[in-house]
Amino acid sequence: MPRIRQAGALLRRYWLLIVAGVAVTGVAVSLVVPSSTFGLLSATRASGGNRLTAGAVTLTDSAIANCPVASLLPNATAVTCTFTATYAGSVPAYVAVNVLIETQAGGGGTRLYNPGDAAHDLQVTITSSTPTVTYTVPTTATTCPGSAPSGSLCYELDNELVSTASVSSAAVGFTVSLSLPSGSSAGYQGGAAQVILTTHAVQSASNVLSCTATPAAGSPCTSSGSFTWS
């Protein structure tokens, strides 16, 4: 049974130190009189309350975004699941999403998500609004996390940009569309998959976006140069 899980989070956190100036003043006056008597007048004054505050990179979700889908039929009819990730940090940030697909075989013997049979397996489309973006779906097998169901094969793409521009605030609505083509074979019967999206944000100040490929919304940005996600 496909289901959608989303872990939106305060991930990849950077700190920006905003320093309020601290001033302590002192006054010392020496008074010299003709009789050579020496007097010293002095006074001190403490500065006002000064506070050091670190900037925050804060990303929240509308919900845990579990979206179970049961009895998906090979009729090309799409089922959709949606959730919203909101960035409201105190410093501008880049926002990205990691896409993980875990898949298992059922009684038919074929795993439901099977990029090697792209015309017949589970069709997965991931989009977002504000901005409008279509994300690349992973097709290369990778190591499964320990939480994946037994017998899973996993596919993952990380750091897919929501936008190449940094944001000061944003509410990004994600939609995952799932369907089985009409020509799917009996081998897919009972198969299952989990599509897991993980959103994260990183400050943009002093962290200029630089990727090994030309940055593009909906595509992975592998860090290059001094830019880093972590």
Side-chain angles (χ1 to χ4, degrees):
M1 167 186 313
R3 65 179 183 273
I4 309 299
R5 293 189 287 113
Q6 186 279 337
L10 175 65
L11 302 175
R12 324 282 202 212
R13 180 181 300 171
Y14 273 73
W15 294 107
L16 175 65
L17 190 63
I18 302 170
V19 182
V22 178
V24 178
T25 60
V27 178
V29 178
S30 59
L31 177 63
V32 179
V33 296
S35 61
S36 297
T37 301
F38 182 81
L40 180 65
L41 305 178
S42 66
T44 60
R45 180 168 62 89
S47 67
N50 293 287
R51 184 179 181 182
L52 308 181
T53 304
V57 174
T58 307
L59 192 64
T60 59
D61 309 321
S62 60
I64 298 301
N66 287 327
C67 180
V69 178
S71 301
L72 194 65
L73 297 176
N75 55 12
T77 299
V79 176
T80 60
C81 297
T82 63
F83 75 96
T84 299
T86 301
Y87 177 73
S90 62
V91 295
Y94 297 111
V95 180
V97 61
N98 298 349
V99 179
L100 169 65
I101 300 178
E102 305 166 344
T103 185
Q104 307 85 41
T110 303
R111 292 183 174 90
L112 186 61
Y113 182 70
N114 180 19
D117 186 23
H120 304 104
D121 73 332
L122 179 69
Q123 306 294 293
V124 180
T125 303
I126 302 170
T127 59
S128 67
S129 59
T130 317
T132 300
V133 178
T134 298
Y135 297 86
T136 305
V137 177
T139 58
T140 301
T142 188
T143 303
C144 289
S147 58
S150 177
S152 292
L153 185 62
C154 297
Y155 301 83
E156 185 170 11
L157 275 178
D158 291 342
N159 304 321
E160 297 198 49
L161 292 169
V162 172
S163 173
T164 57
S166 61
V167 296
S168 296
S169 63
V172 183
F174 289 92
T175 297
V176 179
S177 175
L178 305 169
S179 66
L180 269 179
S182 300
S184 292
S185 69
Y188 289 103
Q189 289 186 111
Q194 299 78 46
V195 180
I196 304 164
L197 307 185
T198 305
T199 52
H200 59 93
V202 63
Q203 75 165 66
S204 59
S206 305
N207 193 32
V208 179
L209 184 66
S210 178
C211 314
T212 55
T214 302
S219 296
C221 173
T222 301
S223 301
S224 69
S226 60
F227 177 72
T228 180
W229 286 108
S230 59

